Amino acid sequence: TAPFLLAALLSLYLYPRLSDDGVTFSSFALFMGAAMSITAFPVLARILAERKMLRSRLGTVAIACAAVDDVTGWIILAYIVVLVRSEHSSSSIWMVLAGITTFALVMIYVVPRLLERVFLNAYKKWGSLSENRMAFLMFLVLASALCTDRLGIHLLFGAFLFCAIMPKEPHFIRYLRDDFETITVTLLQPLFFAYTGLRTDIALVKEP
């Protein structure tokens, strides 16, 4: 809360110097607040794990606060993205919000049953998932990401929501993590940061 409020106050000084009439002050302040509030959740988890504090009382409180902070920040960021894109799109913001709400309700109340029936039950029965089921799981993750992209939100939100609704059976989660962690950490993560860096235009940061 404190970083968000301080960033919002800082926006009063930065908005007339860094922004223009194409961006409203509320969108600018929300973006600043979200940018200053988001925690490096994976880094915090790694530090706590290396210090053997992840399961301690302090570690549990820290990781829980970071999780709540990150989720709130991503929600605010999603709202900003929708708001900004709707201003430059032919679709009204109400249509976009209706599509996002429908997608979220389906993902929260319908898809988990499918995941439990197709993946969790199969894992409990055979102790592993076939290659076809693993491919189907990856397809669903990508499809969820594509849906949020079509709705005007970043691909990341769809993938994040899909992973959030996965069955939370510990052995099942550990099995999926062991299967996907290598390719995710060694291939996809560097590509994501490299692609983000290549799209960054330093020339845009200039004096008005």
Side-chain angles (χ1 to χ4, degrees), residues 60-119:
T60 302
V61 173
I63 207 73
C65 292
V68 172
D69 179 79
D70 267 21
V71 170
T72 305
W74 283 116
I75 291 174
I76 295 174
L77 186 58
Y79 170 76
I80 297 170
V81 171
V82 170
L83 191 64
V84 171
R85 287 192 177 183
S86 65
E87 294 175 355
H88 301 85
S89 175
S90 58
S91 303
S92 67
I93 188 173
W94 298 111
M95 290 294 295
V96 175
L97 290 175
I100 294 173
T101 303
T102 302
F103 172 76
L105 291 175
V106 171
M107 291 294 289
I108 294 172
Y109 294 105
V110 178
V111 177
R113 298 178 182 177
L114 171 67
L115 297 177
E116 183 174 351
R117 183 178 304 174
V118 176
F119 300 105

Side-chain angles (χ1 to χ4, degrees), residues 2-15 25 28-29 32-33:
F4 183 89
L5 293 177
L6 290 174
L9 289 175
L10 183 62
S11 301
L12 295 172
Y13 174 78
L14 295 178
Y15 178 72
F25 174 75
F28 185 87
M32 286 292 298

